[in-house]
Amino acid sequence: MSSTPRGTAGLHDTNPVRFGRPGSGPATARPAAPRPRLSIASSEPPIKAQHLPAPYPDRSGMLGARLSIGDATAYLMSTPDRVTDWVMYWVFDNGPAGAPSAIELTEHLTSRVGHLDVLNRHVADVPGHLGNPYWVAGTTSLSARLQIDETPTTWSAALAAMATAFDRPLDLQETTWRLTGYTHVSGAPGATGPSTLLFAQVSHAVLVGAQIEGMSQALFGADPAPLHIAGLGKPLARPRPVRATLLGAARLPYEIVRWQARHARHAVAQTRRRRPPLVTDRTPTLFNIAPDPDRPVERPQIRVVRPDLTGARGRGVTVTALGLTAVSIAVQRYLRALDQNCPDDLAGLVLVAVGDPRGVLGVNRVNAAQADLYPGVVDPAARARAIHAALQYTRRSQQDVAAERIETGAATPFAVYPKLLRRVENLPTPSRWATAVTSVRRVGEHADWSVTRRPYVFGGHAINVGTDIGLVHSFVGGKDDLTVSAIAAPSVVTQIDTYADLLGEAFTEVVTALRTARVARRP
């Protein structure tokens, strides 16, 4: 592992989001000109990322290989106690063919791994941390990153195995991803019989949810295409420690002046703007975790819910807002079942995509938005519309503010960044959200993905719980289907199966209410 001191909170954000146990922070982005455009995840028309041309001029050499501050944050803050890697997973129906052999599965993946050459890289540190860490081309073979288990297992056991990814972070000085397969899994939702489960543990420094589509197409598509990762520079052929040190030392005075100038400009803009804060402290709930360095590290629990959205899409509410509504109802009912009060100011964290037309923000292009969950609105359709409207307002109102904040934080010289991260890690964490949601829209309405002639059933992704939030959700969906992964700390959500049942029921109610409300408005 790297000897780099590993801090955990995002200095670029005045309202840090901390993912990974304990004390991680949000991924950030480097400054863009013109200022980036924000969009609520899954609310805009999808684009097939793997077919996009490069969104920025080819940036080769040392500067192009350097990690942005946002991507470097994901590298610095992932430790055994604070794993910030994430997992994407795929389920395939074995059907009459039965479980594939390990040899079959390995042959299929070997034939596709060339489309993932962009991931074959590792991180090198700059001596003395005078400059940003940089990417170097890797030589790790598929066999070194692939593990296949042919032992029959259950869906619940497979989910528990998937959660072990949050026990051991990837060493980015060796590899950026690894892949695990279970060829005989019983009880997966939607499968007619035993299934094959594949899951990839990937680093947030190199991949975000927007690449799920491209990685899936590369590995399983009938017409595979090389994975494209917007904002990821070309790696160097080999480490260049002397060159990296000289470049870092030469740029450091300029980077310090730029950082101070942007801080001053941001402070002046905030004073002149006189707007109410976009993120406010909220009443704590049992889902909030008080920082405690002595708390034992917990392996999170994962549950999967697959609601049917037929009839609910296109009703004036995005999938993100629909899902947040179901989450708010499930959270409210879970609290009540435990005789806990559900505060009126209940809020959730939503990761918002940041547009980057010049491609200078690196891989991580997200900002944290606070979404009111309106527990006092009883009607599910009305609550969904209220949450949708609030999200849209937040997107519009925070566009310039978030852009300035991202610019300011992303300009931080890496030479001082690890020290600042450690300082922020020790700051008290206010309660701003009871849960978190990330949403990814799948492009294909009917994905043609398969593995060894076993058809794709569904897939999703899972992120780790936060240092201050013990319950998070991820959404991956197409036209009418949605895969919801609920990830919870056992000490926070002590009855995860009860919560998953409540979440499934809430989705059914919200979809039914939206469908009925639309019909009722017709003449």
Side-chain angles (χ1 to χ4, degrees):
M1 294 295 290
S2 167
S3 60
T4 305
R6 303 220 168 174
T8 57
L11 299 174
H12 58 284
D13 194 340
T14 55
N15 303 299
V17 189
R18 302 182 178 184
F19 285 100
R21 301 182 307 271
S24 68
T28 64
R30 300 193 70 180
R35 286 177 181 163
R37 178 176 55 85
L38 303 178
S39 61
I40 298 296
S42 85
S43 65
E44 294 191 346
I47 298 174
K48 287 192 175 182
Q50 69 272 18
H51 293 154
L52 282 174
Y56 53 89
D58 181 22
R59 293 182 300 149
S60 57
M62 180 61 70
L63 277 177
R66 300 202 322 171
L67 279 72
S68 69
I69 285 294
D71 299 342
T73 302
Y75 164 58
L76 289 172
M77 69 187 183
S78 195
T79 71
D81 290 341
R82 316 175 170 95
V83 180
T84 60
D85 303 334
W86 61 285
V87 171
M88 64 179 83
Y89 62 89
W90 306 267
V91 175
F92 301 88
D93 194 340
N94 288 343
S101 67
I103 294 175
E104 283 183 284
L105 198 52
T106 301
E107 287 177 347
H108 172 93
L109 296 170
T110 300
S111 71
R112 299 303 185 93
V113 74
H115 295 295
L116 301 179
D117 278 345
V118 68
L119 296 179
N120 200 6
R121 59 179 63 209
H122 62 87
V123 169
D125 288 325
V126 178
H129 309 302
L130 285 176
N132 299 39
Y134 58 97
W135 293 113
V136 177
T139 57
T140 305
S141 65
L142 176 65
S143 60
R145 67 174 93 249
L146 175 63
Q147 180 178 344
I148 298 176
D149 192 333
E150 298 179 274
T151 306
T153 188
T154 63
W155 175 243
S156 59
L159 290 179
M162 194 188 305
T164 63
F166 300 122
D167 289 345
R168 51 192 187 108
L170 294 163
D171 184 349
L172 285 190
Q173 295 195 350
E174 295 181 358
T175 187
T176 60
W177 69 292
R178 55 177 167 240
L179 191 62
T180 303
Y182 288 85
T183 62
H184 195 287
V185 179
S186 300
T192 60
S195 307
T196 293
L197 168 69
L198 284 164
F199 65 86
Q201 178 180 351
V202 296
S203 169
H204 237 303
V206 72
L207 274 175
V208 292
Q211 278 82 51
I212 290 178
E213 182 83 7
M215 189 157 180
S216 302
Q217 187 68 22
L219 286 174
F220 311 117
D223 182 21
L227 174 64
H228 170 87
I229 303 175
L232 184 64
K234 287 187 176 182
L236 299 183
R238 61 184 177 85
R240 299 276 189 174
V242 175
R243 186 175 170 188
T245 303
L246 292 175
L247 178 66
R251 287 180 58 88
L252 185 56
Y254 158 73
E255 290 178 349
I256 290 175
V257 171
R258 180 185 61 178
W259 179 43
Q260 293 176 337
R262 287 184 176 165
H263 265 286
R265 185 176 65 186
H266 181 54
V268 171
Q270 282 187 310
T271 301
R272 291 177 176 175
R273 194 174 287 115
R274 295 181 180 178
R275 294 180 186 172
L278 296 174
V279 178
T280 58
D281 294 351
R282 301 301 175 95
T283 305
T285 69
L286 62 81
F287 299 108
N288 298 109
I289 304 173
D292 182 0
D294 298 324
R295 180 189 298 109
V297 174
E298 292 184 284
R299 178 184 299 170
Q301 303 172 93
I302 302 175
R303 294 296 183 269
V304 174
V305 176
R306 299 205 63 235
D308 182 0
L309 304 187
T310 302
R313 295 292 296 268
R315 309 290 172 142
V317 174
T318 63
V319 171
T320 302
L322 187 158
L324 272 170
T325 306
V327 167
S328 71
I329 293 172
V331 164
Q332 187 175 14
R333 291 175 179 172
Y334 184 81
L335 289 172
R336 288 176 178 172
L338 298 180
D339 294 325
Q340 297 280 330
N341 178 55
C342 181
D344 293 335
D345 61 353
L346 192 71
L349 179 157
V350 180
L351 295 179
V352 180
V354 179
D356 183 20
R358 291 186 58 193
V360 296
L361 296 182
V363 174
N364 286 273
R365 307 172 179 191
V366 293
N367 186 57
Q370 187 181 57
D372 288 310
L373 298 183
Y374 298 100
V377 179
V378 177
D379 177 62
R383 188 183 297 197
R385 288 192 291 269
I387 290 174
H388 172 84
L391 280 175
Q392 298 306 309
Y393 171 78
T394 298
R395 176 174 66 86
R396 292 190 302 268
S397 61
Q398 77 170 10
Q399 181 168 329
D400 56 345
V401 179
E404 288 176 4
R405 189 165 61 236
I406 290 171
E407 281 187 5
T408 302
T412 307
F414 189 81
V416 301
Y417 197 57
K419 182 178 180 180
L420 294 177
L421 283 174
R422 290 194 299 271
R423 183 184 302 172
V424 173
E425 182 182 12
N426 296 323
L427 295 176
T429 305
S431 171
R432 293 186 171 124
W433 19 63
T435 187
V437 165
T438 177
S439 180
V440 177
R441 183 176 178 183
R442 201 187 67 234
V443 174
E445 294 182 7
H446 304 285
D448 60 354
W449 304 332
S450 65
V451 64
T452 64
R453 299 178 302 281
R454 279 80 174 172
Y456 170 81
V457 181
F458 69 92
H461 72 298
I463 60 176
N464 204 355
V465 295
T467 59
D468 55 345
I469 308 175
L471 175 66
V472 298
H473 306 78
S474 65
F475 304 157
V476 174
K479 181 178 180 181
D480 292 322
D481 70 297
L482 186 68
T483 299
V484 180
S485 304
I487 306 96
S491 63
V492 174
V493 182
T494 57
Q495 301 177 39
I496 183 65
D497 291 315
T498 298
Y499 177 77
D501 290 341
L502 292 171
L503 185 60
E505 294 168 0
F507 266 103
T508 300
E509 291 180 22
V510 175
V511 169
T512 301
L514 287 172
R515 188 188 305 127
T516 303
R518 177 72 175 186
V519 171
R521 290 197 299 270
R522 291 177 178 172

